[in-house]
């Protein structure tokens, strides 16, 4: 069993990245995933435990310009309560609203939710629908290096991302949606709260004259990673938002959603719920 | 000569029916209360258990040498250290096993300085198993040639029960309608917020002190002794505050003698405490069953017979679970007026987790069946549903086929009250008419009732309680009662009764009830008996004290004792309330007079009930009571989610004693029943629990609790304290079938196998729609 | 699993505390085992039941998930910190008065969470209180009287402010 030989709580990004450079650091922020996963033995600590919560510049939600930037340590509660996001990206705030419990929301970080890469990660479908990217920082050649990865290419499997061990996710960014962009989120679980969601659906599109364009549909808990539902998108892109289109979109879910049976729900029920939610959300958009 | 008044008259005031605060609430609200889980004793070691993690296996070899060598490890025990020390209802269990019969079998135990050291030591214990084929359903356990769970229980047969009354063939022939269904009430578990915990310590005389969460401290000694080879008289049971019990602490579980064996081996106190995962895996469950029930009635709505053929999943060991047929048959024969009854039950050993006692004790499972069958028959007969229930409701003075004497029976009043308050009859018709019309959300209303013991249950040699009461020189009262406080509020009831009888402030009453060396015997907290039995015991003891006090006062004041009363801390003239002497002064005078007397009284109260008996024909409780629930729901027919909008409750409580405590028990009982009905489910696959955590085992949360409209019917039970009856199990018993009936009303779908989870409901609705394209075809069965 | 120890310094119920904790230790265990403050309870250890709820810098979290090292330089409030020598905190008193306490095991977490909700929303409705308490499991009460108590505190605060 790995021993933790050092604990660090740096205040500067370059310090943190240098400590991570050998790939032997476990990142700590809210602890809401790290704690249960290490307790159960599902995950092992590396030699360094690196608390990133005090690093300057990793917090805050900037929404002034064309790009919205959410610092990685931003908690789900902060998302939920942010007035700017409520106007610009209500679909994200909606997901935050239904995320676990208040106690978890107050501690869980956005970066943590993404890096945990659960197929059921609640904040991911709305970010996919917002066409978000993540910023990854590392220390190389004596300097801070940054790269951006579109969120859609960030996840490779349950719990797995393209982030390298020496990289730190520093921010989530997305372009401020167009004025006619409408985004909706719907999820379930047997409970209003505290369920790791049985199924979630987020839909975003530009709506003009009853037609949808720039359609993004994202789903959680129906595949090894949250994903963009391309078949559903194709059924909606450029189409008038009418009954026939909605039916086609619902039918398209069968090609995108490949859920499994597990202790929480059966594949049948997940597929069923996805159809119900896609229809519900589209009718909701239509109602707007 | 008549005494002068020493103050203005004190009016009669009663606490009965008032809202009385729970005496231990302030300490609990400030976090000051030391629960057993919080206790630390000097020199205490931590004990952890190695569980088998497989359902059926031979233990080939255990090597504990590496574990024993670990610094900080003081003892490692295995099956050889408990060999021959059999305990349990049928002596089929030992603290540490020599064979694996279920996934939570205790293979080894470690005592160490810290929990972390103990856990690491467990990991170093090497066990070689030879897996054996297992049996995971009672049907497969009963099959010819099935692997045996216990070699000395052939055919895996555990307990069996039977009760018959009347001519079944004739009753069947006389029936115009018969409903015949199989119900499969499932495995759920208590989920007490405080996980299982015991601390054991031996003194130099070999006497054991065990701090335990038990809710039956006296018989517990008798049950624990054989697991340790001790004399029950050498066991002292101390009951610290606990985080809930709900029936789970009515038996001895292996971790308790394990704590004692570790304490014996190390010579130090040892605390064994479960993590939540261990709690899920290793605690007793509610008894799961397969109930094949048939109920018949005549065309004019009179019940003709009820039969139940029950198969129980005994699990690996026999605890209270397989004894629930004793109550299941009472419901089968006594839920409404049933002239002919045929009940049989057989428990079969399996390699599944085993069941204990759980609030409702077999009545939850049985009423899920009886109340749904009543609802089904109500749709078949040509009468209003409520009328059908009323027609078959017993009246005061009736006796059931098992001789339960319904001295004060308020079933009809409960039915009428709940139905009226909820507008049941009209809504039931309206919602049924909407059922197959288009629309995603459907409303439904469902009614269910049940009958349960409300004055104890004489399944032991005694159903009584001892009470010792003293009043000191400062008019402070101490009640030393056998009644255990497990969070249900008996402390408030006892305090209230003493204050009521002796006219002292509530704050001047102290209760001592947590040390078997001090407090007298009580059979335990079960069968909704505690307010009834302990209430009567307390009242009797308090009245003995009062009689002694008033006799002394009568002599001193030269006034007849019958004209005196205790009120507001004084001896008063009863009729006018004139205070004559301060109670404290009187007590000191009694103490320091020429022939001194202290007020110290004892009482043993045995309720007037009959022992259960092997034939099960006996008036086994001192009272019975009923509750009716009307549940109103909205069903999302697409997702299958049931939202409970409101529950109307009418319960015969006999008499309200502590109104606030009564409400709290009903509210909490309903929440537990809602979990049973809608979301709680132990997913046991091939003997292994797949969801041992709150994330995947869903308890009801605050947003899911519906508004409740509570109606207390006071039937004034002659035998009960101030007329009160026991109340705490009925709320958990009645709610689930009320929801099931509401679901049928809303959607035409009936769920025979709880829980009615969203997926189960969605599938059932989906299948019904697929198989009944013309929904109105169902209407032909109804008028 | 051994881990390096770090010294942390933080405010606990208004008083400065300084101690060494292992890097992997959770705040719940630090409170209960190192500081003897057993008011905060272990009931699941995985952030599902809320019995371990404490306040950190004014926000409630599950202390079973929060690493103790992260308490450094912060303000922690536990159930023990709510009452004053003069008496119970208004939320505690309401829980007692309205019969919200039965076995009481979940109550420290429930009360800390209820206090946080009331503090942050003077117009808290019953429905909002239900949602706000969804992370606090109770097996005894069915939540009804917990919500009655919270409503009473909100009402009282509206009428005369914090007494």
């Amino acid at each position: 069993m790995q021993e933790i030989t050092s604990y660090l709580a740096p205040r500067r990004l370059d310090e943190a990245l240098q400590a991570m450079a050998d790939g032997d650091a476990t990142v700590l922020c809210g602890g809401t995933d790290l704690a249960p996963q290490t307790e159960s033995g599902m995950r092992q600590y590396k030699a360094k435990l690196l608390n990133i919560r005090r690093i300057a510049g990793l917090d805050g939600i900037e929404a002034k310009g064309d790009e919205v930037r959410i610092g990685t340590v931003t908690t789900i509660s902060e998302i939920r309560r942010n007035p700017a996001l409520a106007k610009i990206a209500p679909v994200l705030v909606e997901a935050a609203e239904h995320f676990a419990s208040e106690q978890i929301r107050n501690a869980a970080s956005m970066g943590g939710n993404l890096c945990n890469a659960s197929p059921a990660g609640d904040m991911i479908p709305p970010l996919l629908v917002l066409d978000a990217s993540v910023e990854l920082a590392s220390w190389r050649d004596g300097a801070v290096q940054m790269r951006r990865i579109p969120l859609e290419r960030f996840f490779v499997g349950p719990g797995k991302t393209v982030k390298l061990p020496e990289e730190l996710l520093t921010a989530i960014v997305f372009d401020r949606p167009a004025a006619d962009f409408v985004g909706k989120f719907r999820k379930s679980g047997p409970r209003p709260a505290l369920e790791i969601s049985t199924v979630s659906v987020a839909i975003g599109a530009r709506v003009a004259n009853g037609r949808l364009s720039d359609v993004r549909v994202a789903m959680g808990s129906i595949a090894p990673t949250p994903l963009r539902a391309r078949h559903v998108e194709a059924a909606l892109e450029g189409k008038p938002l009418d009954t026939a289109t909605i039916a086609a979109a619902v039918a398209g879910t069968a090609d995108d959603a490949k859920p499994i049976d597990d202790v929480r729900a059966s594949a049948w029920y997940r597929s069923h719920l996805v159809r119900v939610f896609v229809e519900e959300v589209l009718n909701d958009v239509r109602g707007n | 000569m008549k005494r002068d008044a020493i103050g203005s008259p004190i009016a009669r005031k009663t606490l009965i029916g008032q809202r009385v605060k729970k005496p231990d609430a302030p300490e609990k609200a400030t976090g000051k209360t030391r629960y057993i889980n919080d206790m630390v004793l000097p020199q205490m070691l931590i004990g952890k258990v190695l569980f088998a993690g497989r359902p059926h296996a031979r233990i080939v070899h255990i090597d504990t040498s590496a574990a024993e060598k670990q610094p900080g490890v003081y003892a490692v025990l295995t099956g050889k250290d408990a060999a021959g020390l059999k305990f349990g209802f049928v002596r089929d269990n030992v603290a540490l096993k020599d064979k694996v019969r279920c996934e939570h079998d205790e293979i080894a135990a470690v005592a160490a300085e810290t929990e972390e050291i103990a856990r690491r030591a467990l990991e170093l214990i090497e066990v070689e198993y030879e897996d054996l084929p297992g049996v995971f359903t009672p049907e497969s356990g009963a099959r010819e040639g099935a692997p045996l769970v216990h070699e000395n229980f052939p055919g895996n047969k555990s307990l069996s029960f039977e009760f018959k009354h009347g001519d079944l063939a004739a009753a069947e022939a006389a029936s115009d309608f018969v409903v015949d269904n199989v119900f499969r009430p499932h495995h759920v578990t208590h989920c007490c917020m405080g996980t299982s915990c015991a601390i054991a310590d031996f003194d130099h005389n070999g006497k054991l002190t065990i701090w335990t969460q038990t809710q039956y401290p006296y018989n517990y000694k008798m049950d624990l002794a054989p697991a340790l080879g001790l004399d029950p008289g050498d066991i002292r049971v101390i009951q610290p505050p606990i985080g809930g019990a709900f029936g789970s602490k009515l038996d001895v579980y292996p971790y308790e003698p394990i704590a004692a064996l570790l304490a014996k081996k190390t010579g130090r106190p040892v605390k064994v405490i479960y993590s939540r995962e261990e709690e899920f895996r290793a605690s007793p469950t509610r008894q799961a069953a397969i109930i094949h029930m048939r109920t018949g009635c005549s065309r004019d709505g009179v019940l003709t017979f009820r039969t139940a053929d029950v198969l129980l999943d005994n699990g690996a060991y026999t605890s209270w679970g397989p004894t629930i047929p004793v109550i299941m048959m009472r419901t089968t024969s006594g839920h409404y007026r049933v002239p002919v009854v045929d009940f049989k039950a057989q428990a079969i050993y399996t390699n599944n987790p085993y069941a204990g006692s759980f609030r409702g004790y077999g009545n939850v499972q049985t009423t899920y069946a009886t109340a749904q069958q009543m609802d089904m028959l109500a749709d078949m007969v040509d009468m209003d549903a409520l009328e059908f229930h009323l027609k078959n409701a017993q009246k005061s003075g009736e006796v059931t086929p098992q001789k339960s004497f319904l001295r004060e029976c308020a079933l009809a009043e409960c039915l009428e009250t709940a139905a009226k308050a909820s507008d049941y009859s009209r809504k039931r018709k309206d919602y049924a008419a909407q059922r197959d019309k288009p629309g995603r959300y459907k409303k439904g209303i469902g009614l269910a009732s049940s009958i349960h013991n409300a004055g104890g249950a004489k399944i032991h040699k005694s159903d009584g309680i001892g009470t010792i009461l003293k009043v000191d020189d400062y008019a402070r009262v101490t009640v030393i009662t056998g009644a255990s406080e497990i969070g249900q509020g008996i402390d408030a009831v006892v305090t209230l009764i003493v204050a009521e009888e002796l006219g002292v402030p509530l704050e001047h009453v102290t209760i001592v009830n947590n040390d078997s060396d001090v407090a007298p015997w009580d059979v335990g907290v079960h069968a909704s008996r505690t307010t009834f039995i302990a209430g009567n015991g307390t009242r009797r003891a308090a009245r003995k004290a009062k009689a002694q006090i008033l006799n002394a006062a009568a002599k001193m004041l030269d006034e007849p004792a019958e004209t005196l009363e205790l009120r507001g801390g004084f001896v008063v003239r009863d009729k006018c309330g004139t205070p004559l002497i301060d109670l404290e002064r009187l007590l000191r005078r009694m103490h320091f007079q020429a022939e001194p007397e202290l007020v110290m009284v004892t009482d043993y109260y045995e309720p007037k009930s009959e022992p259960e008996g092997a034939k099960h024909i006996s008036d086994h409780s001192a009272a019975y009571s009923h509750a009716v629930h009307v549940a109103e729901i909205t069903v999302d027919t697409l997702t299958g989610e049931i939202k409970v909008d409101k529950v109307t409750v009418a319960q015969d409580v006999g008499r309200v004693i502590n109104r606030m405590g009564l409400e709290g028990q009903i509210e909490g009982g309903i929440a537990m029943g809602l979990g049973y009905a809608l979301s709680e489910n132990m997913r046991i696959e091939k003997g292994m629990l797949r969801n041992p955590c709150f994330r995947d085992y869903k308890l009801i949360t605050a947003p899911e609790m519906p508004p409740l409209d509570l109606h207390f019917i006071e039937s004034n039970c002659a035998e009960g304290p101030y007329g009160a009856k026991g109340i705490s199990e009925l709320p958990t018993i009645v709610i689930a079938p009320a929801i099931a009936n509401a679901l049928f009303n809303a959607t035409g779908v009936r769920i025979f196998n709880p829980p009615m989870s969203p997926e189960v409901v969605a599938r059932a609705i989906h299948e019904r729609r697929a198989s009944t394209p013309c929904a109105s075809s169902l209407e032909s069965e109804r008028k | 699993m051994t881990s390096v120890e770090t010294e942390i310094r933080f405010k606990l119920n208004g008083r400065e505390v300084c101690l060494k904790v292992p890097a992997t230790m959770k705040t719940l265990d630090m409170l209960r085992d190192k500081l003897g403050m057993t008011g905060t309870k272990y009931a699941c250890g995985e952030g599902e039941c809320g019995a371990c709820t404490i306040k950190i810098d004014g926000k409630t979290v599950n202390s079973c998930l929060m690493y103790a090292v992260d308490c450094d330089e912060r303000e922690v409030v536990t159930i023990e910190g709510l009452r004053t020598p003069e008496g119970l905190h208004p939320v505690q008193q309401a829980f007692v008065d309205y019969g919200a306490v039965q076995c009481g095991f979940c109550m420290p977490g429930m009360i800390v969470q209820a206090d946080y909700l009331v503090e942050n929303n003077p117009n808290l409705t019953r429905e909002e209180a239900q949602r706000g308490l969804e992370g606090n499991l109770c097996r005894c009460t069915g939540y009804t009287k917990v919500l009655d108590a919270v409503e009473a505190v909100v009402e009282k605060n509206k009428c005369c402010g914090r007494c």
Side-chain angles (χ1 to χ4, degrees), chain B residues 637-654:
Chain B
T637 59
L638 290 181
T639 65
E641 284 166 305
I642 295 176
K643 179 169 164 294
V644 184
D645 298 314
K646 183 181 170 194
V647 181
T648 305
V649 174
Q651 183 161 345
D652 172 13
V653 304

Side-chain angles (χ1 to χ4, degrees), chain A residues 1 36 39 186 188-196 262-266 268-269 272-273 275-277 280, chain B residues 123 440-441 636 638-641 679 683 690-691 695-696 698-701 703-704 758-759 762-763 766:
Chain A
M1 270 245 248
E39 282 291 316
R186 174 78 160 95
S188 82
R191 274 310 154 71
L194 288 179
E195 76 286 8
I196 303 286
D262 71 12
V263 76
R264 291 173 194 139
S266 68
W268 175 86
Y269 187 58
H272 171 78
L273 283 183
R275 284 193 298 274
V276 170
F277 291 166
E280 199 181 301
Chain B
E123 283 165 22
R440 174 170 172 176
Y441 296 95
D636 180 336
L638 290 181
T639 65
E641 284 166 305
S679 62
R683 308 291 293 268
R690 292 296 176 210
N691 56 336
R695 190 171 58 236
D696 295 324
K698 299 297 196 177
L699 297 188
I700 293 287
T701 59
E704 292 158 288
E759 177 165 347
R763 266 192 204 267
H766 186 82

Side-chain angles (χ1 to χ4, degrees), chain B residues 246-266:
Chain B
F246 314 111
S248 62
K249 316 298 185 216
L250 278 170
D251 201 351
V252 168
Y253 295 99
Y255 73 91
E256 296 166 293
I258 283 173
L261 291 170
L262 288 169
K264 184 96 209 189
K265 186 79 190 280
T266 59

Side-chain angles (χ1 to χ4, degrees), chain A residues 13 20 26 32 35 39 50 55 61-62 70 85 87 102 114 123 144 189 195 213 217 225 241 246 248-249 258 286-287:
Chain A
L13 181 61
M20 290 178 75
T26 300
T32 57
E39 282 291 316
L50 177 68
I55 298 172
I61 299 167
E62 286 160 40
I70 299 174
L85 285 180
K87 287 203 197 78
E102 183 75 354
L114 297 189
M123 304 308 285
V144 174
E195 76 286 8
S213 64
V217 178
T225 69
L241 191 47
I246 293 177
K258 310 277 182 218
R286 194 187 194 184

